Structure formats: C-alpha cells, structure tokens
Amino acid sequence: MAQTTGQVPLACGKLEISTDSCVTWTDISGEAQSLGGTEQARMSGEAYTLDGDTALIAGGKREPMELVAAIVYTEVNVEAYDLVRAAFEATGCGGGFCLRWSPKGGSAGDDRITTGAGILVSFTYPPMDASAGGPIMAGFTVKVASTSTAVVAS
C-alpha cells in the first residue's frame, strides 16, 4: 500500500459545546487549546479452565470517555470560560453537556465527532503564577457514554 497523503494537522480543528443536551452549539475554537481523553475502551474479561494453556476471553460494552478540554481564561461573558463555568455551577445534577469537534476544521466534507449528552465532572478555575508570562489556562472534563462521527454537510 502506498503512503497516505491524507494526513490532518493536529492544530487546525474546531471545538463546539452545547449546554442544552446537544440542541444549541457554541464554537469555542477561539478559546480552546486542546482536547484530550479521546480514547474509549471496551470492557473485557478472562477466565481460565483446568484444561488448556490460555485464557478464555470475552468482550463487553464500551466504557465512558472523559474528554478533557484546555481553554484560555477570559472574562468575556460569551466565551468558553464563563459558558462552561455557568453550566458547571448550575444547580442540579449536571447533565446535558455535549461536545462536538472536527479534527480538520469543520468545513463541508470534514468529519465531525459528536458526543451524546454527558456530565461535566470537573472544572478548572484560573490558577495564578507570578513566574509565568503566558495566558492563564482553565479547563473542564465531561464524561460521555459514546460518540458518533458524521460528515459536515455545510
């Protein structure tokens, strides 16, 4: 097989959030630095019998994912920090938070990965460091059961 020419740069994506169970989307790409925790595992187990030299293995359901986003701290009410903080601090059980991202940037024809409604399980408030000169970084973690991939239509 010939070497691929379809590689996608790591730094050119688009990240969106929804605080209303995946109905309304807000593009936070201008404040987002990274998204990690994108690996999903499948439950598995093994049993051994008195006969044979190897285990009997079986697979189970997919485990939840904990997606971790790093965002730039700002004090602009319509930007990522305040939107996610408000959702995290809202009274209730914290459900209905969704993410979707497009590794290639979100143009028509690009793949877009969308989570089901999840739970904001942690939020990173702004730290301070007198020895640093860069922007303050904050972040959040959302736990979701699954994702789906579709092609951006327009």
Side-chain angles (χ1 to χ4, degrees):
M1 177 183 280
Q3 184 177 25
T4 187
T5 59
Q7 70 277 7
V8 176
L10 192 58
C12 297
K14 179 178 185 178
L15 180 61
E16 298 171 280
I17 61 170
S18 171
T19 60
D20 60 2
S21 296
C22 308
V23 175
T24 307
W25 293 95
T26 302
D27 182 358
I28 64 165
S29 301
E31 301 91 53
Q33 180 186 57
S34 63
L35 179 66
T38 57
E39 179 180 347
Q40 187 171 34
R42 183 173 295 278
M43 296 171 72
S44 65
E46 63 274 339
Y48 296 89
T49 66
L50 296 173
D51 190 23
D53 189 41
T54 59
L56 303 173
I57 61 169
K61 299 179 185 282
R62 290 184 288 162
E63 296 177 349
M65 302 167 66
E66 289 198 6
L67 300 166
V68 180
I71 55 175
V72 175
Y73 169 73
T74 69
E75 295 183 355
V76 179
N77 290 338
V78 296
E79 291 187 343
Y81 178 82
D82 275 346
L83 295 173
V84 178
R85 181 189 51 77
F88 182 74
E89 293 175 351
T91 302
C93 296
F97 195 90
C98 305
L99 288 178
R100 71 181 183 188
W101 67 98
S102 181
K104 200 171 179 182
S107 298
D110 294 349
D111 280 354
R112 179 168 55 207
I113 303 159
T114 305
T115 70
I119 298 170
L120 276 169
V121 295
S122 72
F123 182 76
T124 304
Y125 293 89
M128 294 190 301
D129 182 350
S131 67
I136 296 173
M137 297 302 297
F140 61 92
T141 302
V142 60
K143 183 180 271 192
V144 299
S146 64
T147 64
S148 60
T149 302
V151 174
V152 178
S154 60

